[in-house]
Amino acid sequence: METLTIQGSPKTPTVEMDAKSGVIEIKGRSIPENSIDFYKPIVEWLDEYASSPSGETTVNIKLEYFNTSSSKCILDVFKKLELVYKKSGEKGVVINWFYEEDDEDMLEAGEDYQSILKIPFKMIELEE
Amino acid sequence: MTFDIEAWYGEINKGDVIVNHKGVITNDLITEILSIVENKLIERKENTRIRKKIYNVMVEALQNLFHHTDKLPNETNDNFGEKFVTFVLKKEKEDKFSYISGNYILKSRVKFLKDRIDQIKYLTHEELQLLYKLILNNNEFSDKGGGGLGLVDIAKRTGNNFEYFFHENKKDHCFFCLKILITN
């Protein structure tokens, strides 16, 4: 399965999804007007990945800003990862949710996802 | 009496204005405005917490303006053009900013918008959080690509600090004014 790489832009994040290592990273800003178009290839990649995932999947979400339209698409991404989690067991998927020091809104956003999903989150504070 | 947009715009521009606009709104304009806001707040050495809050509110508010401003019929377009909006971001005092916008909406949509704002306006932070999660998880997208979360998100981040007015302006349109207070 091919690695998915998307270069970041002022309104969209950098994405790196490596099936071999099981490392998935989304970082930067996600504030496009049409987030469905942007997240489509990511969700499709995860559909394929979920059929034969790596033994361990590490997901790093390092978002500085995201708009509400993206927030729904990010939930879709997590729901695909939930399938991987169900398949590969408790230690199979780790979601690292990074937030900058004092960014309580970003921490709360991570906690919102955590409460909706049955998948463990690790909240990691980044020092400025 | 017709609402005087020019006079209102002059009034809201009084004070310590960081960014303002009166004219057509496009995706490119939103990108440009967000970059100006970010740079100016850094230049002014505003603290990171308030900078992020302002940026987040501006993203949602401007994208709402872009998606939900109704066009005026061509014959009444006068000098305003299509998708005409006005907005101002200014500093009121230390760690207190206001974002004020005005845009046309069809009279037929006023009740829906008014009900939606009133529904959100009196919710506590905990209730807003619950509503946010409910809408987040409802798998619905509007035909404009929005998720119906913009106003809830703004309310959550600002502690419901907003007020609004609908002014009679054109035959089929009202001019919708929204003021959001952003504090640390």
Side-chain angles (χ1 to χ4, degrees), chain A residues 46-62:
Chain A
L46 282 168
D47 263 335
E48 196 184 333
Y49 179 74
S51 61
S52 58
S54 161
E56 282 177 33
T57 304
T58 307
V59 185
N60 297 318
I61 309 288
K62 291 183 187 170

Side-chain angles (χ1 to χ4, degrees), chain B residues 105 110 113-114 117 164-168 174-177:
Chain B
I105 76 157
V110 168
L113 181 58
K114 193 176 176 302
I117 299 176
Y164 67 91
F165 298 97
F166 291 96
H167 298 284
E168 290 281 329
C174 273
F175 198 70
F176 169 57
C177 300

Side-chain angles (χ1 to χ4, degrees), chain A residues 7 9 12 16 28 60 68 80-81 105 122 125:
Chain A
Q7 288 294 325
S9 77
T12 52
E16 184 86 36
N60 297 318
T68 54
K80 296 288 171 197
L81 288 162
D105 288 348
K122 212 185 266 177
E125 186 179 89

